[in-house]
Amino acid sequence: MTSIDVQALTKEYGTRRAVDDLTFTVRPGRVTGFLGPNGAGKSTTMRLVLGLDRPTSGTATVGGRPYATLHEPLRHVGALLDAHAAHGARTGRDHLRTLAVSNRIAARRVDEVLEETGIASAARRRVRTYSLGMRQRLGIAAALLGDPGVIMLDEPSNGLDPEGIIWIRELLRRLAAEGRTVLVSSHLMNETASFADHLVVLGRGRLLADTPMREFIDARVRPSVRIRTTDATALKSVLAAHGHDAVEHEDGYWSVHHARVDDIGRLVSAAGVPILELSAREGTLEQAYLDLTATEAEFTAQPQEA
Amino acid sequence: MRFAPVLHSEWIKIRTLRSLLGTLLALSAVTTAFSALAGVSDTSEPEFDPLYTAFSGIIPGQIAAVSFGAMAVSSEFHGGGLRLSLAAVPQRGRWFAAKLTAVTVPTVAVALVTASAALLAARAGLGSAADGLGTGEQVRGVVGCAVYLTLMALFAAGLTALLRSGVATLSVLIPFILVVSFVIGDATGGATDFLPDKAGQVVLYHRHDGALGPWTGLAVTALWTAAALLAGAWRLRRRDA
């Protein structure tokens, strides 16, 4: 089993603790979303796993072994850390060739991953002519090169166009379905919610959560129910009679917080309140995340990067 | 990991950067052209040394050699490129050795051809002024010139790994080479004889009096290069990528 194991991992830069006593495991067969505000330690953790930075204390292993001891590591672990890592003066294909050759990966894999990531037509162009989205695809191509069992991607959807975002979502789902270990960092909540099964959340280098995504949301955000009616007075009274509090919104609908649609539907129907619309509002990852990090975030009210 | 695939990868990296190939071409063109020019200049000065005149093109030419060494390493240092390289080859010492081998081999080859061409070009102009040069001496000059240029390229490669910047390396080395060669000039004796470029260039002289001979001079340059490479390797191994 190839999982990523992080044990009591700590990394200090001077006096600042970028990663603080972190322990978690990323398991195969599911997509693990790696969340946290900027500066929370996500990228540092990934570099520590790859043996690029040395931990102050603790260990990080892949399949039970430190990364640096892996024989031909690209066959075991594929990583995208920075879309700008490819030299601008090299062609995309040559960039991948240098990586493939060093790990004795067959040359045909270079063409395969170029096809798979949709940049085959640009393969013989210099990387400096690539858009950010194409660079991301090239970085993902490099990560897939050795057909690795473990894949780590740092903000892979940065700069991707809408088609690209759908593509990466399906790619991540497929990689996990093939039994690979997939760790994807992001600060885009809706994006992460669309592909992650499991979440590891960091704040100021510390582990804030390590739970399945659904549980994470349900534990933090109570569902609510959205109703539209022609008889507001009747609706309010029947809800009040059962201890529910309805809030009216400007565009004419009501929301009932901390309530399930099954209960509210029965209540209003039994009372004969005319209903135009009735729907469940599930909690979103964004709400759950903001609830969790409200107290922890280094930069509160951090704007979402596009 | 085996060394050969890593070396192959580093060789592809050099081959696929046009700027690096351009630097090698410049090394060859500049050295040969300046040696040819020196060959038709005044040969009546008392300081005239036919062998050094023939190889004087390396004074500007070595800047290209130094640039090649610096750029081959500095191409790893932008945009997190080094991280990608070290993720592929986590044994940093092995990776650096492969990088240096991939710098050395083309430099030696180009420098040997260049030195031979420079000598021939200069001799065409020097005519009888070069008659005093023996075959052994000329072979020593060609080989010495190639070794010297290679050591300077590696010196720059080591310094770049230490400073983590090609710009920093070149802005230290190029003024250094120019200052030592043109300002201190022919003043011999003392500590300047042991500077990497002065010491290594002894091998290019027909007559030279100083503390160092042709091969001991190159050995001094080699020590400088070894020191720079060790410092670069140390920084590479110690530091977070």
Side-chain angles (χ1 to χ4, degrees), chain A residues 11 13 47 50-55 67-74 79 81-91 94-95 97-99 101-104 126 142, chain B residues 1-2 4-6 8-10 12-20 75-76 78-92 236-241:
Chain A
K11 176 67 178 178
Y13 294 105
R47 288 201 303 275
L50 293 171
L52 295 171
D53 289 12
R54 281 161 225 277
Y67 184 86
T69 68
L70 295 173
H71 180 68
E72 297 175 339
L74 298 185
L81 292 184
D82 187 342
H84 295 282
H87 197 292
R90 236 174 239 127
T91 67
D94 282 339
H95 170 70
R97 275 179 64 217
T98 64
L99 293 171
V101 162
S102 67
N103 279 243
R104 296 193 305 145
R126 281 157 200 275
Chain B
M1 289 181 77
R2 297 204 205 140
V6 181
H8 186 195
S9 164
E10 291 305 321
I12 295 175
K13 282 187 194 171
I14 284 178
R15 220 159 38 82
T16 52
L17 285 186
R18 249 185 239 173
S19 53
L20 288 178
S75 65
E76 299 282 348
H78 38 74
L82 183 66
R83 287 184 185 139
L84 200 58
S85 296
L86 294 182
V89 185
Q91 292 81 10
R92 298 182 183 192
L236 188 67
R237 289 177 69 96
R238 283 288 303 269
R239 280 290 304 262
D240 291 338

